[in-house]
Amino acid sequence: MSGRSFRWPVIAALAVMTMLIGATPPTSLAAPTGRQPGVVVEPSFIATECAGKPVRVAARWYFPPGRPTALVWLQHGFSRTAANLDILARSYANAGFLVVSPTLDSVNLGGCAVAYNIADNAAFARTIGGVFGSGRNTDSPLGASLLRARAAAGRPDVTMPYRMIFAGHSAGGEFVVVAADALRRADPVAYRRLAGLMLFDPVNSFFGRNFASAAAALGASRLPIRVIASQPSVSDNFGQGVSVLQETTRQRFLGSRLVTGIHIDAEGGSTDLIGELSGLAAPRPRNGRVLRALATGWSSDMVADTVTATYYPGGRYYDLLLDTRTVTTLSVR
C-alpha cells in the first residue's frame, strides 16, 4: 500500500472525529456556544433575608427564545459572580431553559455567603432553597424578581416553569446541594418540582459536614444528580467534593471527568484573570463545548424524565468522548 493511499483514510477518520468532538459536537448534538441571538438577559434582584436582616441578592435572568421548559438556578463559586457563568447560562437558555444566576458574597461574618468559611452558611442555603421552593407564587421573592426582569425584557409571555434544576459550580455546587436537601425536609410539595442537580466540579467546604450529609440524604431520596468534574487540584480541594458524591449519592450513572479538565472549565470564555490564576491555566474551548453539551442534555433528560442515549455510556456521542480520551466516567462506590 502506498503512503498516499494509507494517509487519506486516516486523515478522513481524524476529520470525522474532529467534527464530532473537537470543533463542535454534531449538529444534532451540539450545545449552543454562547452569545447567540434570541437570548435576552436582564438584571434584577431577589429580596430575602439572612442572619435576621433583609438582603437583596443581585441576579441575572436569561430568557430563552421561546417558552421555557424549566427553570435553572445557576450558582457561581467562591470569589466569582454570575458574570463568570455567562456563557454557560446562555447555553442553558438556548436549550430552552429560563435561567436565574444570583451573585452571592464569598465571605460574610453572618454566614450570608456561598461558602462555609468564616461562618456556617447552612441557614442561608436553607433560606435560598425556600426562595426557589415558593418561586411559582408571583408575590414571592423569586416571583417578584422574575416579574421585574420580564418587564424589562419585554417577555410577558414567560411565567415561572413548574420544573426546576439546581446547578452550581465549585462552592456553588455545595450550596445548591445543601439548599436542595433543606427544601426536601421543609417543603416536600415544592421539592417534587426539583428535577435534579447539575454540579460542575463541586467543592465541599473545609469546615463542617453540611455537604456530605445533604448529599447522602438526597441520594437516599433518589434525586437525579449529575456531575462534570475536572482533574483534582488545589482549586477544587483535590476533588474531595466529587469523591463525597461518588460515595454517597447512589446514582447508577453520576457523570464524567474531563481528562484535560481544569476547575474553571464551566466558566469557559466568561472567566477572568482571577479564575485563570486560580487554575494556573485558561479553560480549553473544546472542554467547554463538551461540558455544555452534556450538561444541557442531561438537564433536559432530568426535566423530561427521559434518557437521550447519545449522552450516556453506550451512546454515539458519549462513546466518542470516551474513545478519544476526552472524558472518563465517574465510578460510583
Side-chain angles (χ1 to χ4, degrees):
M1 180 179 293
S2 70
R4 177 174 298 180
S5 62
F6 173 75
R7 284 197 301 270
W8 281 111
V10 173
I11 292 171
L14 289 174
V16 170
M17 286 189 177
T18 299
M19 178 189 72
L20 290 173
I21 65 161
T24 59
T27 302
S28 61
L29 309 178
T33 56
R35 303 179 185 280
Q36 300 187 12
V39 173
V40 178
V41 186
E42 288 293 341
S44 185
F45 66 88
I46 302 168
T48 183
E49 62 179 32
C50 182
K53 299 178 181 179
V55 174
R56 275 194 174 192
V57 175
R60 289 185 175 195
W61 287 88
Y62 293 76
F63 294 84
R67 295 290 295 273
T69 57
L71 174 72
V72 171
W73 167 18
L74 184 59
Q75 187 57 58
H76 65 78
F78 182 81
S79 80
R80 320 306 290 142
T81 70
N84 296 124
L85 292 176
D86 181 70
I87 288 179
L88 181 57
R90 290 175 184 270
S91 294
Y92 263 115
N94 271 303
F97 293 92
L98 175 66
V99 181
V100 58
S101 189
T103 292
L104 303 180
D105 288 345
S106 291
V107 178
N108 185 284
L109 292 173
C112 310
V114 74
Y116 181 178
N117 35 57
I118 62 174
D120 191 345
N121 68 338
F124 188 44
R126 287 194 293 270
T127 297
I128 300 299
V131 164
F132 280 88
S134 62
R136 297 201 82 209
N137 302 326
T138 56
D139 60 349
S140 69
L142 190 68
S145 180
L146 172 58
L147 289 179
R148 287 188 291 270
R150 79 177 191 181
R155 292 296 306 273
D157 59 305
V158 175
T159 57
M160 192 72 73
Y162 177 77
R163 297 287 267 168
M164 55 187 178
I165 296 284
F166 289 180
H169 171 231
S170 190
E174 177 183 68
F175 194 87
V176 301
V177 167
V178 175
D181 186 50
L183 183 64
R184 176 190 65 83
R185 289 182 280 111
D187 192 343
V189 174
Y191 180 70
R192 286 200 289 270
R193 296 175 49 220
L194 183 59
L197 303 180
M198 183 66 238
L199 308 177
F200 302 95
D201 209 28
V203 176
N204 57 317
S205 296
F206 289 106
F207 307 105
R209 289 188 50 80
N210 296 335
F211 181 69
S213 60
L218 293 172
S221 76
R222 301 299 180 183
L223 180 74
I225 300 173
R226 297 288 176 265
V227 176
I228 298 178
S230 73
Q231 293 301 309
S233 68
V234 173
S235 297
D236 64 4
N237 197 13
F238 299 100
Q240 290 185 23
V242 175
S243 295
V244 167
L245 294 166
Q246 290 177 287
E247 294 168 358
T248 61
T249 52
R250 307 182 188 180
Q251 306 288 300
R252 294 183 62 185
F253 172 73
L254 182 61
S256 307
R257 189 184 301 278
L258 292 162
V259 171
T260 60
I262 62 174
H263 186 55
I264 55 171
D265 280 328
E267 296 183 354
S270 303
T271 198
D272 56 17
L273 181 60
I274 293 175
E276 292 181 359
L277 288 175
S278 72
L280 300 178
R284 295 192 178 192
R286 189 180 78 172
N287 283 343
R289 288 189 289 268
V290 170
L291 178 148
R292 292 188 293 270
L294 293 177
T296 55
W298 293 341
S299 297
S300 295
D301 276 349
M302 286 189 278
V303 168
D305 195 23
T306 56
V307 175
T308 304
T310 198
Y311 295 117
Y312 304 89
R316 179 181 173 222
Y317 179 52
Y318 192 88
D319 280 2
L320 276 168
L321 298 178
L322 293 175
D323 292 343
T324 54
R325 294 286 297 162
T326 303
V327 303
T328 57
T329 299
L330 291 172
S331 61
V332 179
R333 300 164 191 165

